Amino acid sequence: MATDITKVSSHNAEAAASAPGMPQLDFSNWGNQIFWLLITLVVIYLVLSRIALPRIAAVLAERQGTITNDIAAAEELKAKAVEAEDAYNKALAEARAEAQRIVAEAKAEIQADLDAATEKADAEISAKAAESEKAISEIRAGALESIKDVANDTAVALVAALGTQAKEADVTKAVATRMKG
Amino acid sequence: MEGQLAHIGAGLAAIGSGAAAIGVGNVAGNYLAGALRNPSAAASQTATLFIGIAFAEALGIFSFLVALLLMFAV
Amino acid sequence: MAVDKSGLVFKPMDQFVVKPLFGGDHVGLFTVTNVTFWMALAVVAVVAMMVLGTRRRAIVPSRGQSVAELAYGFIYKMVEDVAGKDAVKFFPYVMTLFMFIVMANFLGLLPMSFTTTSQFAVTVVLALMVFVTVTVVGFVKNGTAFLGLFWVTSAPLALRPVLAIIELISYFVRPVSHSIRLAGNLMAGHAVVKVFAGFAAIAAVSPISVVAITAMLGLETLVAFIQAYVFTILTCVYLKDALHPSH
């Protein structure tokens, strides 16, 4: 088909030499255009294949390498960070356990002190209570004696008032018997 | 007279450009319809899209060329 | 073209005329023409982008270097993905084609410029280079097994000769469509811009014309890249056929 166009147009180009035709089909300058095109392509090819493309490929490879290295370094740093966090957590847990131990110890100490104090206080209180009881019983005994005396005296007085002389010993005996009953 | 007939022929040949436009629209429209149904596959088919458009358009360019030949070279 | 009574002048094809740069009318084989000039500019642009942009070899790239690396990665990935891992040795060749076409296309967008890739002389040579390379590589790599490309074993036996003829024709049409696609797209876009520019001579429609030219240039920027991309990716597809001819 290309040859068809060529044939048709070459016949036309002669006709178009005088009349304004399609400039693209003016075959008299095809040789010139093809010549310069080939030079252009060869120059571009040499520039690209010798200088530009190897350079860009090198830059891209280098960048890929740098990125890979950076990623590796970042991963390493990340591992380190995780390690540090673990250490921190461990230290935190240890500190917490220590604190708990100290708290428990202090609590136990305080409890012991408290118990001792309570015991001492209890002992003191019971001693005081015993003393007081003793005093009270003494007082009670005193009181009984006094009642006996009063009763005796009253009985003697009553007997005397009735006009009889009674023996004091008898009265006392009688009062004691009466009071027991 | 002959020159005027050539101009009429050129106009008729230019209808081919419209036909090519229908073809290109068909390609692009169907691509879009497919891409909307399955967007994940769309990116891998853009090359095919452009090849399809190029083939459809080439025929329109042929008719344009025939028109030009009739106008200037006959 | 036509000059009608309103004074409208349409010369959409004048921008494609090859002219000697230093006077004279004759264009010989070695004459320095506008083709030479704009191709040289393309070379300068490629060198500026790919060599000067990367001269610092920075690990953290500057803007220029990122663009160069982006282009490198783009084409490298394309060759690897489309043509296969063993096509990587053709990477400088594919890169050369891509860089030249994309730079020539973009330089062609400058006002008053000459678009070298809109010339059939240029694109036909580019396409034929790809065609010859692919055919030679195909036969050198696979020997006669390369002809299996035309013998579709997955089809019924009766259909295979017919398919073989169709495949053969489509194989030889490849360089034609490959070259005309590139030149045609570029030529069409630039001619349309010139036609709109012609309308700017009428005061009433000139604002619309200017807006239309702006819009067309935006579209042309896209086309300039896409056509370079398509040319390159088709090269890769053809290379894949040459390296792995089984369907």
Side-chain angles (χ1 to χ4, degrees), chain C residues 4 10 16 33 54 60 69 79 84 89 94 106 114 118 121 123 126 135-136 172 194 206 217 219 228 233 235 245-246:
Chain C
D4 68 15
F10 291 118
F16 303 121
T33 58
T54 60
V60 179
E69 282 170 11
V79 173
K89 59 178 177 295
V94 177
F106 278 133
F114 178 85
S118 68
T123 57
L126 290 173
T135 311
V136 168
F172 282 100
K194 276 283 147 65
S206 62
L217 276 177
L219 183 67
I233 204 165
T235 307
S246 54

Side-chain angles (χ1 to χ4, degrees), chain C residues 200-239:
Chain C
I202 308 173
V205 293
S206 62
I208 302 168
S209 155
V210 169
V211 170
I213 292 173
T214 315
M216 273 311 291
L217 276 177
L219 183 67
E220 281 307 293
T221 315
L222 189 70
V223 166
F225 178 76
I226 285 186
Q227 287 310 315
Y229 173 74
V230 163
F231 192 96
T232 320
I233 204 165
L234 284 177
T235 307
C236 292
V237 170
Y238 298 160
L239 267 177

Side-chain angles (χ1 to χ4, degrees), chain A residues 51-68, chain C residues 49-62 64-70 72-73:
Chain A
I51 306 172
L53 298 184
R55 185 188 287 178
I56 295 174
V59 168
L60 288 181
E62 200 180 327
R63 179 171 313 144
Q64 197 57 50
T66 312
I67 288 172
T68 314
Chain C
M49 180 172 148
M50 302 303 287
V51 177
L52 297 185
T54 60
R55 71 187 178 284
R56 286 216 306 264
R57 301 159 197 258
I59 293 291
V60 179
S62 58
Q65 194 181 327
S66 334
V67 172
E69 282 170 11
L70 218 61
Y72 180 96

Side-chain angles (χ1 to χ4, degrees), chain B residues 25-67:
Chain B
N26 241 332
V27 174
N30 283 330
Y31 170 78
L32 188 61
L36 287 176
R37 280 179 196 220
N38 186 5
S40 57
S44 62
Q45 296 307 316
T46 43
T48 323
L49 166 74
F50 281 115
I51 294 174
I53 286 182
F55 278 129
E57 197 189 14
L59 301 172
I61 293 294
F62 285 166
S63 70
F64 166 75
L65 194 75
V66 169

